[in-house]
């Protein structure tokens, strides 16, 4: 048996999220189905760095699984990709130590969130962008982002539906937003993220961009440590898991 | 009764083309269903500048229809858009003379065709780009484009499944291709286009880009006046009807 680590992309539009669940198609189920076919019907468990919600996309999700197949590692990318639907793609596969764990060993993650900020919708990006018609004050949102960076208890930015048992202190290395044409591109890079944290951060920043909140309110929202203090949860389709960081990187 | 002209966009991914047909959902059927609801169930016939095939998109298709509803013309855009699915959007609605005809009055059209030219696919653009891994010689394709411009009999670039009864002479004002990052963007602007013409032109230009054909073969392909002389038909998902031109423009 050897352990393989793969970096994968998926379009979350047609999935009920990453993680296997009783109702609805999931990315994990597609991966395990493809691997099971390759392993003559035997079940192969896939472990990811974390789950993503329904409609959320991945540019660089990381998974691991164990195999006893005699496939040279350089052929795995093509072999596995060819078994998967068009909306899941294998970027790379490498052999790792038997103790590598995609979730426990993850040292951090980067998410991106995209807003289509124009009077007119872009129907071709409707599954990949959050459409906001109103002019947003990008400078005010950038100012608010500065308060998010650093180590904080992010309880206010965590969905109460979380199953996290430990503390909600996370270290955010970068929180930023830039205007690129009709789009706003948010970057969030940190040690870890709570359930719905990026979407609640974006929803709150949008309220700052609309002048419904002052950038200076962010420290108070953090301090409150209750979900009600923060803004709405932005919709899933603008969110992309961009990269997962490990020590060996 | 007044006649309205509308400029519309649609994502052709989930449609069996523009035109109503017995099997499969079509853009025209969605438009007529929405208009019928607005007209208390009465049938409203919609006429477009031309049809588009299954999977082909529109950035600026033009339609006309007649109505006796008492809606101010400036409210029509929002009223009709709100009745349509997310993949069809009304860009503008204006009142025109009772003799305006979206198809017969069209003086020309512009199409764009997009290729995703990279080793790796882009799963987020799989419905909107033709993916080609091989390096394409853009300069050779540009040279070939020059032979397409002008007035020619384009029989070689017309699907034999056409129902065109007149001649196949068309005037092409612009045929060009540019590299923009990982994408190749083709522009075709002309007096009119035959069935599958843009897709056969792109398929043939791609063969030039792969060095399977010489740019200088284009005049001979045109001269042959038979479909077999030209290259393969490029797939539908890269094709966008960009604009329809009328005299009043």
């Amino acid at each position: 048996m050897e352990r393989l680590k793969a970096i994968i992309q998926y379009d979350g539009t047609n999935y009920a999220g990453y993680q296997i669940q009783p109702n609805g198609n999931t990315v994990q189920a597609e991966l395990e189905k493809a691997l099971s076919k390759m392993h003559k019907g035997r079940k192969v468990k896939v472990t990811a760095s974390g789950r993503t919600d329904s409609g959320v996309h991945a540019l660089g999700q990381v998974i691991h699984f164990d195999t006893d197949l005699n496939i040279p590692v350089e052929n795995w990318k093509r072999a596995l990709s060819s078994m998967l639907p068009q909306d899941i793609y294998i970027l790379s596969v490498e052999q790792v130590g038997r103790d590598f764990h995609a979730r426990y060993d993850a040292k951090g993650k980067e998410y991106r969130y995209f807003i289509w900020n124009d009077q007119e919708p872009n129907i071709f990006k409707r599954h990949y962008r959050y459409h906001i018609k109103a002019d947003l004050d990008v400078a005010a949102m950038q100012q608010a982002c500065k308060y998010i960076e650093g180590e904080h208890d992010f309880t206010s930015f965590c969905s109460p539906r979380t199953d996290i048992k430990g503390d909600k202190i996370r270290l955010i290395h970068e929180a930023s937003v830039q205007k690129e044409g009709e789009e706003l591109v948010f970057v969030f890079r940190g040690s870890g993220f709570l359930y719905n944290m990026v979407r609640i951060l974006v929803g709150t920043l949008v309220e700052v961009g609309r002048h419904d909140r002052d950038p200076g309110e962010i420290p108070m929202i953090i301090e409150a440590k209750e979900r009600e203090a923060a803004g709405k949860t932005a919709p899933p389709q603008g969110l992309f898991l961009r990269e997962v960081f490990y020590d060996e990187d």
Side-chain angles (χ1 to χ4, degrees), chain A:
Chain A
M1 287 292 255
E2 61 180 17
R3 183 156 290 188
L4 299 179
K5 169 192 176 188
I7 304 179
I8 71 171
Q9 298 191 323
Y10 48 83
D11 177 336
T13 306
N14 296 319
Y15 295 100
Y18 171 81
Q19 194 172 56
I20 285 184
Q21 49 164 267
N23 309 312
N25 194 18
T26 66
V27 178
Q28 186 187 359
E30 291 290 346
L31 291 166
E32 295 192 352
K33 193 167 67 184
L35 285 167
S36 172
K37 274 187 207 157
M38 293 174 72
H39 290 77
K40 300 177 183 162
R42 266 180 294 134
K43 159 118 180 114
V44 178
K45 187 173 159 31
V46 172
T47 302
S49 72
R51 51 180 105 165
T52 53
D53 267 358
S54 179
V56 173
H57 314 290
L59 294 163
Q61 169 72 288
V62 173
I63 59 169
H64 82 254
F65 58 91
D66 295 329
T67 181
D68 55 6
L69 288 191
N70 239 334
I71 301 177
V73 69
E74 61 272 22
N75 294 356
W76 259 99
K77 171 187 159 116
R78 184 189 288 212
L80 183 52
S81 273
S82 72
M83 305 290 290
L84 289 164
Q86 296 270 311
D87 50 8
I88 304 178
Y89 184 69
I90 307 294
L91 271 180
S92 67
V93 180
E94 62 171 319
Q95 194 181 341
V96 287
R98 282 301 313 262
D99 60 343
F100 173 82
H101 195 285
R103 184 161 82 251
Y104 301 147
D105 291 352
K107 291 291 181 289
K109 285 182 183 170
E110 183 178 313
Y111 285 94
R112 302 237 163 162
Y113 195 99
F114 297 87
I115 289 177
W116 179 258
N117 191 19
D118 193 60
Q119 279 291 318
E120 302 284 357
N122 183 331
I123 59 168
F124 304 100
K125 295 190 171 176
R126 69 195 186 283
H127 297 308
Y128 312 110
R129 301 291 183 264
Y130 173 23
H131 179 215
I132 296 182
K133 291 185 183 186
D135 251 338
L136 298 176
D137 182 341
V138 179
M141 290 192 286
Q142 283 166 340
Q143 214 184 319
C145 277
K146 287 294 150 207
Y147 293 111
I148 294 164
E149 293 180 347
E151 192 170 64
H152 305 289
D153 183 324
F154 283 101
T155 301
S156 298
F157 295 94
C158 178
S159 164
R161 291 182 294 132
T162 187
D163 53 10
I164 291 172
K165 286 173 188 72
D167 69 56
K168 290 175 181 147
I169 296 169
R170 296 292 183 275
L171 173 61
I172 300 301
H173 302 291
E174 178 180 350
S176 66
V177 55
Q178 280 209 325
K179 194 165 171 60
E180 295 182 7
E182 282 87 15
E183 302 199 332
L184 298 184
V185 184
F186 295 80
V187 177
F188 298 96
R189 192 164 37 79
S191 64
F193 292 85
L194 307 168
Y195 188 48
N196 279 356
M197 179 167 155
V198 176
R199 290 167 56 189
I200 300 170
L201 284 169
V202 170
T204 308
L205 289 168
V206 164
E207 293 174 15
V208 171
R210 289 181 191 275
H211 292 161
D212 291 337
R213 287 177 189 265
D214 197 77
E217 286 178 46
I218 301 290
M220 292 183 284
I221 296 170
I222 293 173
E223 197 51 46
K225 292 187 192 119
E226 50 179 35
R227 172 66 188 88
E228 293 70 30
K232 290 210 187 80
T233 306
Q237 77 272 11
L239 183 59
F240 290 71
L241 172 55
R242 165 75 179 248
E243 196 173 348
V244 186
F245 303 106
Y246 295 91
D247 264 347
E248 72 267 56
D249 289 335

